Amino acid sequence: MAASATSCLLSFARYRVWLATLAAAVLTACAVDPQSATDAEPLVDVPPGFAEQTYPPDNVPTPERVALGKRLFYDLRLSNANDVSCGTCHDPAKAFTDGLPTSRGTSGRMGVRNAPSLANVGYLPALMREGGVPTLEMQILVPIQEHAEFDLEAPFLVSRLSVDSALQQMSRWAYSRPLDIWVITRAIASFERTLVSGRSRADEGRLSDAERRGKEIFHRVGCGTCHGGPLYTNNRMACNGLLESYADRGRARLTNNASDEAVFRVPSLRNVGRTAPYLHNGSIASLTVVIQRYNSGGYPHPNKDMLLKPLNLSASECDDLEAFLLALTDDRFTTNPRFRP
Ligand code: HEC
Ligand code: HEC
C-alpha cells in the first residue's frame, strides 16, 4: 500500500489532484452514508458522555496532520526490514490490536506483550501496560527503537523517509517544516487522537434482555469500579490476580517496588469482543475464560486488589455478563474508512 501510493505520487501537481479526489471521495461517502449525520463528521469525534480531548499546544490536530500521521501509521518503511507498520500490530478491524498473544515485529521477532487497542488513546493520562509513558508523541519512539518492533534508529528512519517527496510535501503542509522525528511523532499522534470509540449499542441503550441483565451484573459485582466511566477504565493500576504466576513484573519494571509486582493499567473494555486474546501477555484466549476466572476470584497474589473476590455467578449470569461485554463493540469504529490505509 505505501509503495504503490508512493509510485503514483510522481509530482506535486499530481499529488494535489490525488488529494482533492480523495477529499471529494470522502465527502461523497459521508453524504450517501445513511448512518452519518447531515453535517460532515468532525475531525475528532466527541461521542455523548465524552469530554473534549486536551491537545498539546504545539500539536492540535488538523486534516493535514492527521493525513500525514495516517500515511506514516501504515508505512512499512518504519521497520528495519520494511515488513511491519504500526497497523500490522494495531489493525483497525481488531480495534487496533493484532489478534496474537504477543506481537511479532520486524523479521518475525516475538515481543513479550499483547498489543493493546488504540481506541481512545488520546484520553489516556499514561500509556503502556505499566503506565510509564506520559504522551502519545513520546510513545511513538518506543516501537521505533524497540528490537522486537521496528528496530530503527530515529536519524536513520528520518533519512530513509526524507527522500520521499510526497511525504516531504505533506510535512510542510502539516507543520511548515521538513520531515524529521518531531514531525513524525507529532503527525502519528494526531492520527491516533482521531481514534475515538464511543458509539456501541451499549452507549445507545440498544441492548437485548440478556445484555441488559449482564450490564446490571457488571455494576453489581464491581467490574465497573475499575472498568467504569465513559472509557470503561478508571485508568488506575491494579493486579487482578487472574494468572497463577506472573513472568512480567508489570509496574514493578518501572518502580522496582514489591507492591507493584503484577500490577498493570486497567484496560478499557470497549470493543473487547474484537481484542482477543486477553491480558498483558495475551494468555487468556476467550472472554468466557476471563469471566470464569473473575467468577472464581482468581489466584492468590499479595498485590491482588481487595475488590476481587469469588462472585458465585451462575452459568447463565456469566453468559449475560459476556453478552454485555460483547455489546461494547463499536462497529462504526472498527469499520470506519477514515481509519484505514
Ligand atoms: C510489533 C508490534 C507493534 C508495532 C509495530 C507497534 N506496536 Fe504499539 N504496541 C504494541 C505492544 C505489544 C504494546 C504494549 C507495550 C507495553 O505495554 O509494553 C503497544 C503499545 C502501544 C501504545 C500504548 C497503548 C496503551 O493503551 O497504553 C500505543 C499508543 C501504541 N502502541 C501505538 C503504536 C504506534 C503509533 C506504532 C507505530 C509507530 C506502534 N504502536 C507500533 C505492539 C506494536
Ligand atoms: C481492581 C480492578 C479490577 C476489577 C474490579 C476488575 N478488573 Fe478487569 N482488569 C483489571 C486489570 C488490571 C486488567 C489487566 C490485567 C492484565 O493485563 O494482566 C483487567 C483485565 C480485564 C479484561 C481483559 C481486557 C483485555 O483487553 O485484555 C477483561 C475482559 C476484564 N478485565 C473484565 C472484567 C470484568 C468482567 C470484571 C468484573 C467481574 C472485572 N474485569 C473487574 C482490573 C480490574
Side-chain angles (χ1 to χ4, degrees):
M1 35 180 191
S4 64
T6 315
S7 59
C8 63
L9 301 179
L10 290 175
S11 70
F12 172 41
R14 276 181 67 181
Y15 176 65
R16 289 209 75 139
V17 172
W18 174 81
L19 196 75
T21 317
L22 184 74
V26 170
L27 290 175
T28 321
C30 290
V32 297
D33 181 3
Q35 294 272 355
S36 71
T38 42
D39 295 353
E41 278 181 59
L43 189 61
V44 182
D45 187 22
V46 185
F50 278 51
E52 298 269 353
Q53 289 180 51
T54 335
Y55 305 124
D58 65 359
N59 201 23
V60 177
T62 63
E64 293 78 11
R65 292 172 177 185
V66 172
L68 175 58
K70 178 163 123 173
R71 269 290 287 279
L72 293 166
F73 188 89
Y74 292 107
D75 195 326
L76 296 170
R77 291 173 297 181
L78 264 71
S79 60
N80 197 326
N82 294 293
D83 51 354
V84 172
S85 73
C86 307
T88 309
C89 301
H90 299 288
D91 171 2
K94 300 187 175 83
F96 293 87
T97 64
D98 59 12
L100 299 169
T102 61
S103 297
R104 195 178 300 129
T106 192
S107 305
R109 291 176 197 156
M110 292 305 296
V112 293
R113 283 191 174 163
N114 176 258
S117 170
L118 301 187
N120 305 322
V121 277
Y123 286 96
L124 300 185
L127 299 158
M128 311 299 273
R129 293 189 179 271
E130 65 271 82
V133 179
T135 69
L136 286 173
E137 281 80 359
M138 284 170 72
Q139 194 282 329
I140 291 153
L141 296 170
V142 179
I144 290 177
Q145 291 165 5
E146 175 66 42
H147 179 74
E149 295 192 359
F150 293 150
D151 190 27
L152 278 188
E153 297 296 334
F156 178 80
L157 173 63
V158 171
S159 57
R160 186 191 264 187
L161 295 179
S162 288
V163 297
D164 184 331
S165 56
L167 277 187
Q168 288 290 11
Q169 187 54 58
M170 290 178 89
S171 176
R172 272 185 224 102
W173 278 337
Y175 294 99
S176 308
R177 60 194 268 177
L179 196 76
D180 58 13
I181 198 67
W182 189 93
V183 167
I184 292 171
T185 52
R186 269 152 193 81
I188 297 177
S190 295
F191 172 61
E192 292 181 284
R193 291 189 174 102
T194 67
L195 305 178
V196 175
S197 172
R199 298 182 185 277
S200 66
R201 281 193 298 108
D203 294 293
E204 294 172 348
R206 293 186 289 119
L207 296 180
S208 69
D209 289 345
E211 292 161 352
R212 213 176 294 282
R213 290 193 299 272
K215 179 178 177 178
E216 183 275 321
I217 296 165
F218 181 83
H219 291 291
R220 174 161 54 81
V221 303
C223 311
T225 314
C226 291
H227 300 284
L231 302 180
Y232 285 83
T233 170
N234 59 7
N235 285 315
R236 274 186 34 223
M237 308 290 306
C239 169
N240 65 358
L242 295 200
L243 301 181
E244 197 167 4
S245 65
Y246 285 80
D248 191 323
R249 302 186 63 197
R251 191 161 173 83
R253 214 159 93 158
L254 209 64
T255 64
N256 225 16
N257 292 338
S259 59
D260 284 335
E261 295 286 344
V263 165
F264 295 90
R265 214 187 60 227
V266 176
S268 169
L269 298 186
R270 286 193 174 277
N271 304 297
V272 79
R274 295 290 166 81
T275 64
Y278 303 106
L279 304 187
H280 64 277
N281 60 357
S283 61
I284 301 189
S286 72
L287 275 182
T288 313
V289 174
V290 172
I291 291 169
Q292 279 166 4
R293 294 268 170 99
Y294 273 116
N295 196 30
S296 70
Y299 293 96
H301 191 285
N303 295 336
K304 187 162 80 175
D305 196 283
M306 312 260 281
L307 286 167
L308 298 164
K309 306 230 163 63
L311 304 175
N312 303 314
L313 298 175
S314 69
S316 80
E317 287 176 312
C318 288
D319 289 347
D320 291 345
L321 184 54
E322 180 169 345
F324 171 64
L325 296 185
L326 293 175
L328 296 173
T329 300
D330 176 355
D331 291 321
R332 265 179 277 180
F333 177 71
T334 56
T335 61
N336 193 334
R338 296 166 82 195
F339 301 154
R340 291 170 178 262

